[in-house]
Amino acid sequence: MTDMYDLMIAGVGGQGNLLASRVIAHAALLEEGLSVRIAETYGVTQRGGAVFSQVRIGRAVSGPLIPKGQAHLIIGLEPIEGLRVAWGYLRPRGGVVLNTRVLLPLQSKMGEQPSLGLAEIRDYLRRMGIPTLVEIDAHRLALELGSAAAQNMVMVGAASAIPGFPLSAESLSQAVRALSRTEHVARNIEALVKGRQEALSLLIKNGIVVGHSGN
Amino acid sequence: MKRDDLFKGSPGTRLLAMGNEAIVRGAIEAGVQLVTGYPGTPSSEIVDTAIEAARELGFQAYWSVNEKVAFDVATGAVFSGARALVSCKHVGINVLADSLMQINHIDIPGGLVIVSVDDPSGSSSNNEQDNRHYAKFAEIPALEPSNLDEAREMTKQAFVISEELQLPVLLRSVARLSHMTADMTLGPIDQSRRDSRFDGSRVYTPFPPLIPHRRLREKMRRAPQVLASYDWNRYEGTGKEKLGIAASGFTYNYAREGVDALGLNAEVALLKVGTPHPPPRDLIRRLLAHVEAVLVLEDVNSFLEEILREEAHELSRSVRILGRKSGTLPDSGETQIDSVIDAVRSVHARFSISTSSTKTVTMSNMSESTSPSQREGAEVTPALPRRESTFCVGCPHRATFYALKEAMQRAGLEDPIVVGDIGCYTLGFNAPFRVLQTMTSMGASMGTALALAQFNPSRQVIAVIGDSTFYHAGMPGVLQISQHKAPVLVLVMDNSVTAMTGQQSHPGTWHSGDRLSTIPIEDIVQAFKIPTVRVVSSWNPQRLSAELNEVLKTRGPAVVISRGACALLPERRERVHGTMAVNASLCDGCLRCIREFGCPAFLIDDDGSLRVTIDETQCDGCAACLRTCPAGAFYAKKSSERKLRQFQEDLYDRHV
């Protein structure tokens, strides 16, 4: 893999951004021996505001902030936030994995801020020329497993299918096992698998090459 | 989250940790005996983690009522010869400053480490401030780690340095380090037992201060020698470079990354500063001796920049010192990697002398690295909505603010003034309530309300404060409101815990258990002789609103406590999902529920009708929304009725 793989996880407070970033970091460090940095803010941003995690994986990682135009992958736990971050940080041939369930901010519901639907978001992303855009209905997939709370793990699973993603499915499962609450381990591992399968089938359908390291 | 690997892991173990956890590990390795502080983002994980560690390892760790009490508690430990650590966010140092400015005049018998986690850019704060200045002001050493291993090692050695100099040591972290998760290597744990006993054969006071202050100055003259044995300050150059970058603390990472990315390693000398006070003047002079310009990176004041300017002046060398003060970097806000790369590139262009050919400096691994927002051309900027922070689903404060606004309207108040304070309830500034009008420091709501009432006698002043804020700093102000018989309505939003920072306990937290007492707010304000005191459940906003109306009619000071458990408490984890629903035939799309209550679980149908539905996966059954619909369209589903009743019995009126 390259010296550094940069990804960002964008969502809304309460969507499990923190566990998602930790699972990836744990997999990188403890399963694959790579260096890792996560930049996040806590506290007031957890209260329904936008939450961004910057995750840098590599052999020689220094600071935790991803320069603009460097991110290889955006995981949008929420599509408006996914778009916001892709716009600001995605590299020209980067990929986006997008949860399809829009969570409108209150001010949009009140008519004070613009409202965006999935179609408009998809349109903006297409115009940015993103070669790999994978849309996952993570909410539905998570509910099929028994809880909407597993959405974040569905999205991590989907991300693992993106060409160039440096970590193996096995490493991610081990990380989930280590970090999830006991009663959630089975469900979260299933969520990883479901997300990955869904993403792989979409990528194959769109003719994107899926053979890459770690698989 | 239990961290056995962090607390007990053997030296050499590599694990994933957060900056704040690295600091705790350093304290454990030093054999710390007391850890205390007051919650404040970005520092809260330090004492939270220490409390967990203390249960396993047997030292003292607990939250204090405020940072001053925390510091004084640590003082008691240190006077007993024990090693103590106090932790807080940057403004917390303001609160403990009175004690700090006197302890520095005393020869302390135990190591005292003060951890200040600053918040450059103030992402979770009311202000920006740079607490390296406190070290200079208080005349104590400051250590500024650049990564997790340094955070751990510096915390550990800070105790050693503190005992060597008999001075407190400031460990200065920043949010970006404290909240960074990265790999870290553990060090050995000092297992030696420390005898803690107050030695009564001497006194512990700075008074009279003249001689103690001289001693303090002498200690600080010795400090560079004591610090020289550590490798936290580092010169990286050959002596031939024309350009230098001096970076304080965490910004060293950006200096390194910027130089590497631009391929300028051979042309730029780096100076890493890990002890901003006293600064490594010898290394600074070594750098200034051969460069033409130095770019200074630091958060968030021009602390190091001014030292460099001072040293350049001493050397009588005309070196350009470029940083925040000179306008080369933004003068406020956290250092960003993008600004550093830009600054390094432009400084190099201004000052470098190309030897053989002109070299175009590009990012070696990022030849086409621009984000969509940076590219010129046809992309349309997406019209993205702002996303403000808001109350969690099921937060009692949403119900309380709804009740307050309703009461204010019904009372027909003429231009009321609503004063706010610091906590989750601060979100009352945001949509949809937008009812708070002032907020400054912790507890300031009370004193501010008093004078606002005196200067605006025809207007009702309502002062909103949380439970933890009340204990932290609100009490003296309420006492004075009572003393002056000021016609202020104090509305205490009591959700049992210090919520915003992670649901920490305080003296009013609804514990059962006998190790700690609970002292309810109503008992305190009654002892303060406030003539009208009411305690009402947050969960029935209509009843709360009626109580507020009744209280508003009385003259003289009043305290109304709106009580409801924080939505994130474990006892509320057993959520009654999908309890509430909207009767579609009654909903006419007026959206008043959204505009006046604004629960995130309210969704608007996208079929053009604007009818509201409730997101089953988010709704947690607090049912405070029940009567917010003018058409009565909200109801609790039959299938959830029994569970809802039980849930409500558990929460409603239980602590009232």
Side-chain angles (χ1 to χ4, degrees):
Chain A
M1 57 161 278
T2 53
D3 276 338
M4 195 128 65
Y5 187 85
D6 291 333
L7 67 95
M8 293 182 79
I9 308 174
V12 176
Q15 285 194 299
N17 212 312
L18 304 189
L19 180 62
S21 63
R22 259 147 205 64
V23 161
I24 292 171
H26 184 108
L29 174 69
L30 292 161
E31 303 302 325
E32 306 204 11
L34 298 163
S35 204
V36 68
R37 300 279 182 273
I38 308 177
E40 268 159 348
T41 41
Y42 305 85
V44 68
T45 51
Q46 287 177 315
R47 305 295 177 263
V51 181
F52 309 118
S53 306
Q54 308 185 42
V55 186
R56 314 191 81 189
I57 301 165
R59 274 180 256 283
V61 188
S62 187
L65 298 181
I66 300 172
K68 292 192 159 78
Q70 271 270 63
H72 292 85
L73 176 65
I74 308 291
I75 301 175
L77 297 181
E78 195 283 330
I80 293 174
E81 301 312 321
L83 171 60
R84 198 191 307 275
V85 167
W87 172 252
Y89 287 89
L90 192 62
R91 62 170 53 215
R93 284 197 293 276
V96 177
V97 182
L98 204 68
N99 191 353
T100 54
R101 192 172 191 243
V102 174
L103 294 177
L104 280 181
L106 177 61
Q107 288 177 282
S108 298
K109 293 178 195 172
M110 290 169 72
E112 295 175 354
Q113 290 277 315
S115 280
L116 279 182
L118 183 65
E120 288 159 292
I121 292 169
R122 183 188 296 130
D123 192 43
Y124 279 122
L125 287 170
R126 290 262 161 80
R127 277 191 278 166
M128 288 177 202
I130 293 166
T132 312
L133 168 59
V134 176
E135 295 180 21
I136 305 281
D137 189 349
H139 186 247
R140 177 180 57 83
L141 292 173
L143 284 177
E144 283 170 16
L145 294 171
S147 171
Q151 277 183 78
N152 57 350
M153 292 296 111
V154 170
M155 293 300 291
V156 171
S160 73
I162 301 294
F165 188 82
L167 307 171
S168 71
E170 184 50 39
S171 300
L172 292 171
S173 292
Q174 289 303 334
V176 163
R177 232 177 276 278
L179 297 176
S180 301
R181 278 196 267 171
T182 326
E183 61 268 29
H184 294 155
V185 168
R187 176 199 83 187
N188 283 348
I189 291 184
E190 270 192 81
L192 278 182
V193 169
K194 231 181 182 13
R196 186 178 167 77
Q197 278 171 352
E198 181 79 7
L200 278 173
S201 66
L202 285 167
L203 289 166
I204 289 167
K205 201 165 77 167
N206 290 310
I208 294 171
V209 176
V210 294
H212 58 285
S213 68
N215 295 311
Chain B
M1 194 186 85
K2 217 155 90 113
R3 295 294 315 261
D4 269 349
D5 54 349
L6 181 73
F7 305 154
K8 297 181 180 160
S10 46
T13 306
R14 206 160 153 246
L15 44 69
L16 210 60
M18 204 194 296
N20 280 341
E21 292 174 331
I23 290 170
V24 174
R25 173 68 192 199
I28 290 171
E29 289 178 8
V32 74
Q33 292 159 279
L34 173 79
V35 176
T36 186
Y38 180 79
T41 307
S43 68
S44 314
E45 295 81 4
I46 293 172
V47 179
D48 275 337
T49 307
I51 288 172
E52 277 189 54
R55 281 191 208 119
E56 301 288 314
L57 305 175
F59 58 91
Q60 298 274 12
Y62 45 80
W63 289 109
S64 291
V65 171
N66 63 35
E67 292 87 347
K68 176 194 161 47
V69 176
F71 190 91
D72 297 339
V73 163
T75 300
V78 155
F79 282 179
S80 306
R83 288 187 163 180
L85 185 145
V86 186
S87 150
C88 59
K89 67 183 291 174
H90 59 285
V91 286
I93 302 291
N94 301 338
V95 178
L96 61 80
D98 192 14
S99 292
L100 170 61
M101 295 305 285
Q102 300 181 49
I103 291 298
N104 60 356
H105 284 58
I106 297 176
D107 293 336
I108 50 173
L112 177 57
V113 176
I114 307 164
V115 180
S116 173
V117 187
D118 292 4
D119 189 10
S121 290
S123 332
S124 309
S125 303
N126 276 354
N127 73 343
E128 276 188 310
Q129 64 180 67
D130 186 336
N131 283 356
R132 290 174 298 167
H133 287 285
Y134 263 110
K136 187 171 175 184
F137 182 45
E139 300 174 79
I140 61 174
L143 309 178
E144 206 185 353
S146 67
N147 60 35
L148 262 58
D149 285 323
E150 266 194 349
R152 181 192 51 72
E153 191 63 26
M154 281 182 174
T155 304
K156 180 198 281 180
Q157 299 304 330
F159 287 98
V160 175
I161 295 163
S162 173
E163 285 167 2
E164 167 72 39
L165 292 169
Q166 292 191 292
L167 265 185
V169 173
L170 179 73
L171 183 93
R172 193 259 184 162
S173 181
V174 289
R176 196 54 73 189
L177 170 63
S178 275
H179 281 171
M180 176 175 76
T181 295
D183 39 292
M184 167 172 96
T185 307
L186 303 182
I189 296 178
D190 177 354
Q191 304 279 11
S192 60
R193 266 182 57 87
R194 221 160 245 97
D195 239 347
S196 18
R197 223 193 119 257
F198 178 76
D199 173 7
S201 69
R202 54 164 284 204
V203 292
Y204 302 82
T205 175
F207 182 79
L210 192 56
I211 290 172
H213 196 202
R214 281 205 197 112
R215 268 184 65 70
L216 171 59
R217 302 239 208 244
E218 273 165 35
K219 289 178 186 180
M220 283 310 285
R221 279 193 287 271
R222 260 207 311 134
Q225 202 186 334
V226 171
L227 294 174
S229 54
Y230 300 101
D231 66 350
W232 299 323
N233 302 305
R234 200 163 60 234
Y235 167 87
E236 297 170 9
T238 63
K240 302 197 185 72
E241 298 88 354
K242 292 270 167 279
L243 287 180
I245 302 178
S248 189
F250 194 76
T251 61
Y252 172 73
N253 295 299
Y254 305 134
R256 183 82 272 151
E257 191 173 334
V259 167
D260 288 348
L262 291 169
L264 292 176
N265 306 67
E267 297 181 51
V268 181
L270 289 191
L271 174 63
K272 174 187 178 303
V273 175
T275 69
H277 189 77
R281 292 188 190 270
D282 51 346
L283 295 181
I284 292 171
R285 285 182 197 139
R286 189 171 165 195
L287 177 70
L288 293 174
H290 63 86
V291 295
E292 288 177 15
V294 181
L295 179 67
V296 184
L297 303 184
E298 57 187 330
D299 282 328
V300 74
N301 288 5
S302 329
F303 189 85
L304 182 61
E305 187 182 343
E306 286 170 13
I307 292 170
L308 257 75
R309 217 165 261 128
E310 188 185 299
E311 287 299 318
H313 180 82
E314 287 287 300
L315 287 177
S316 302
R317 278 208 87 226
S318 64
V319 183
R320 291 300 311 280
I321 310 295
L322 305 166
R324 292 171 179 266
K325 199 163 175 189
S326 75
T328 312
L329 287 161
D331 70 354
S332 50
E334 182 196 3
T335 302
Q336 298 289 335
I337 184 62
D338 291 300
S339 318
V340 170
I341 291 170
D342 286 344
V344 174
R345 193 189 273 124
S346 79
V347 169
H348 177 264
R350 270 168 74 188
F351 289 94
S352 73
I353 303 157
S354 295
T355 46
S356 48
S357 55
T358 47
K359 182 166 82 171
T360 319
V361 175
T362 55
M363 303 290 289
S364 51
N365 63 341
M366 303 168 20
S367 51
E368 346 145 323
S369 68
T370 48
S371 65
S373 62
Q374 292 171 304
R375 281 178 233 137
E376 291 163 24
E379 276 108 4
V380 174
T381 308
L384 291 163
R386 279 187 59 218
R387 193 183 296 270
E388 274 185 337
S389 294
T390 186
F391 298 112
C392 300
V393 169
C395 175
H397 298 336
R398 175 175 289 110
T400 305
F401 275 114
Y402 177 84
L404 174 64
K405 286 194 82 172
E406 199 191 72
M408 284 165 62
Q409 205 173 31
R410 260 202 293 151
L413 297 177
E414 188 79 39
D415 218 3
I417 304 173
V418 186
V419 174
D421 218 299
I422 299 177
C424 272
Y425 53 95
T426 308
L427 295 172
F429 269 102
N430 289 354
F433 303 109
R434 297 190 180 122
V435 69
L436 299 179
Q437 294 172 281
T438 80
M439 175 187 52
T440 55
S441 65
M442 288 286 286
S445 54
M446 300 295 119
T448 306
L450 172 55
L452 278 169
Q454 289 170 345
F455 279 77
N456 301 273
S458 62
R459 296 159 75 175
Q460 175 67 54
V461 176
I462 298 164
V464 174
I465 191 169
D467 45 343
S468 192
T469 320
F470 173 85
Y471 292 106
H472 180 291
M475 288 190 287
V478 176
L479 184 57
Q480 194 159 328
I481 285 173
S482 181
Q483 183 197 27
H484 282 246
K485 302 181 189 173
V488 172
L489 168 54
V490 174
L491 176 56
V492 182
M493 299 205 180
D494 182 359
N495 57 3
S496 176
V497 288
T498 314
M500 185 62 97
T501 46
Q503 296 83 47
Q504 291 87 9
S505 320
H506 58 58
T509 298
W510 317 334
H511 276 145
S512 49
D514 31 46
R515 231 183 52 84
L516 296 174
S517 290
T518 303
I519 302 102
I521 294 170
E522 56 270 34
D523 291 1
I524 296 171
V525 297
Q526 264 152 12
F528 283 6
K529 294 198 156 48
I530 296 277
T532 309
V533 178
R534 296 265 196 278
V535 187
V536 190
S537 168
S538 311
W539 302 114
N540 187 333
Q542 283 69 31
R543 187 173 55 179
L544 174 57
S545 177
E547 288 272 4
L548 285 167
N549 267 117
E550 215 185 281
V551 169
L552 282 168
K553 294 197 187 99
T554 69
R555 298 190 58 75
V559 173
V560 174
I561 300 166
S562 172
R563 187 163 279 162
C566 167
L568 303 183
L569 283 175
E571 69 199 66
R572 292 205 46 195
R573 289 262 173 83
E574 283 310 304
R575 291 163 190 273
V576 189
H577 278 300
T579 308
M580 301 300 294
V582 175
N583 184 335
S585 61
L586 292 178
C587 175
D588 64 359
C590 76
L591 298 184
R592 269 183 67 182
C593 57
I594 298 249
R595 277 196 290 274
E596 293 173 7
F597 194 76
C599 180
F602 294 172
L603 304 178
I604 303 178
D605 279 349
D606 53 12
D607 60 359
S609 66
L610 296 182
R611 268 195 300 266
V612 167
T613 56
I614 293 188
D615 182 357
E616 283 190 7
T617 57
Q618 287 192 71
C619 172
D620 89 335
C622 76
C625 61
L626 194 60
R627 271 163 285 180
T628 59
C629 173
F634 285 86
Y635 67 96
K637 291 190 273 189
K638 256 206 159 13
S639 56
S640 314
E641 252 174 30
R642 191 174 54 81
K643 258 188 123 178
L644 175 63
R645 218 176 4 252
Q646 191 176 343
F647 182 69
Q648 290 175 344
E649 266 160 27
D650 280 344
L651 290 184
Y652 288 39
D653 300 333
R654 182 200 190 190
H655 300 284
V656 169

